[in-house]
Amino acid sequence: MERMDQTEPVCGALNVSVLTDRAAMEAIADDWRALEQRCEGGLSFFQGYMWCHSWAARFAGGAGGPRPFVATAWCAGRLIALWPLMQSGVAGALSRIEALGGTHTQYSNLLMDPDFAGLSETIADKLLAALVDRGDFDVALFEGVPDGSALATMMARANSVATVRNAASLLDLTGFASAEAYVAGLGKLQRRNRNRRRNHLARHGELRFSVVWPDDPAFAPTIQHALHLKRRWLTETGRLGLGLSQTGFGDFLAGLEGDRDSLSGACLSVLETGDRIAAVELGFLHGGHYYCYMGAFDWDLRDASPGKVQMEMTVCWLIDNGIATYDLLANPAGYKESWSNRTIGLSTYTIAPSWRGRFYARGWVATARPALKRGLEALAYRVRRLAALTQGLGCIVLLA
């Protein structure tokens, strides 16, 4: 065993086990939560117990559905690493292993106890061995793996090459002493545009901003309303939202935990104008990091940019509450660039032990799917342009 620094705990036998059902996950709930507290930061919210157990309770375990595959490493009775995965596929079909939560999970990662950093390579090798030896699969797919993360390091040890590159946009809030300082630091044009949007939206009624937590009776119905707004936006803009359309997704989100005292877990940023919700954003707080998970706005108020007004108010609330990062998540976009000041690279990795898995990894994940996504995005853009043209022609006909 490698010599460790004297400040690091000494580990005797390193034991690895794989949890394959919710009961086993529940049995280590306290250990899991304690580990994630030691691993705060590092884009690891989606590997926390609350997210993983809530998702498994809603979507896993059914006939033909995904099944938990949670690899854990223990030292002297202490949980020191956890890799929450799931397995899907039936006999005769492609069997996959991926991050627990699938498309709903935004970052693939694992929890690695920083107190045992000197054993990180040994732990990684043990977890990889557990995956290969106990996971009967054609392909293991890890999407949205942050550069420099514990999982990225593990994939390098597994000789897995990144097949798809992406990036997450983040706004570092640590440089702003207050919300007023943040606003004052904006360019003159930015401040003028933001004031104009607020004034325009206020014509529909007095603006009110609030943060709603899961213990508020309004939390669950507001989640459902936000999904309704988001789905209308998808329809109006010709976009697809497979994760949003999954049965039970609204109930899953409404059942997430959050705590206003510790500023952790799920919360809703709600902007109202008069007696209607103009925009709402579901976010997650963990270790001073805020994940902007889902934003939605009233389509009928789109000319007043209610989503942008809500985002500014949310950022100001985060600054005043000492949050370090506003994370706009993956998939760069023009509006994200205007709200962020740094990016984190993301990669997709695959491990494919079978020919079917290699065909899926190389043919679909690395080639066909990105091309299809680009085609759908181009089609959605043409649909939006056509809709705008149709509206314009309609106005001409009405005026004629």
Side-chain angles (χ1 to χ4, degrees), residues 17-19 21-36 49 70-74 77 79 81-83:
S17 61
V18 176
L19 317 179
D21 55 49
R22 269 177 39 221
M25 295 167 64
E26 292 164 1
I28 67 161
D30 292 342
D31 300 281
W32 193 331
R33 290 183 186 275
L35 175 61
E36 65 186 85
Y49 178 78
V70 181
T72 63
W74 302 78
L79 180 63
L82 184 143
W83 192 9

Side-chain angles (χ1 to χ4, degrees), residues 235-309:
T235 300
E236 296 285 356
T237 59
R239 290 179 168 90
L240 295 175
L242 298 180
L244 291 172
S245 63
Q246 188 166 355
T247 302
F249 185 54
D251 292 335
F252 159 66
L253 295 179
L256 294 175
E257 301 170 6
D259 180 62
R260 72 181 73 230
D261 294 329
S262 61
L263 293 177
S264 62
C267 61
L268 289 171
S269 299
V270 182
L271 174 62
E272 298 173 274
T273 175
D275 59 355
R276 68 199 289 186
I277 292 178
V280 59
E281 179 178 296
L282 170 64
F284 305 130
L285 285 160
H286 179 65
H289 192 104
Y290 175 86
Y291 301 80
C292 175
Y293 189 71
M294 183 184 73
F297 62 88
D298 188 331
W299 180 258
D300 295 330
L301 298 175
R302 61 191 181 279
D303 290 340
S305 302
K308 293 180 179 179
V309 176

Side-chain angles (χ1 to χ4, degrees), residues 131-152:
L131 172 67
V132 174
D133 295 342
R134 307 180 199 184
D136 183 14
F137 62 95
D138 293 300
V139 61
L141 173 65
F142 310 109
E143 301 184 272
V145 179
D147 289 353
S149 66
L151 185 53

Side-chain angles (χ1 to χ4, degrees), residues 39-76:
C39 299
E40 279 193 344
L43 304 180
S44 60
F45 169 80
F46 296 100
Q47 286 66 54
Y49 178 78
M50 186 269 286
W51 175 266
C52 293
H53 179 263
S54 298
W55 195 93
R58 178 63 58 178
F59 298 110
R67 305 172 299 282
F69 188 97
V70 181
T72 63
W74 302 78
C75 177

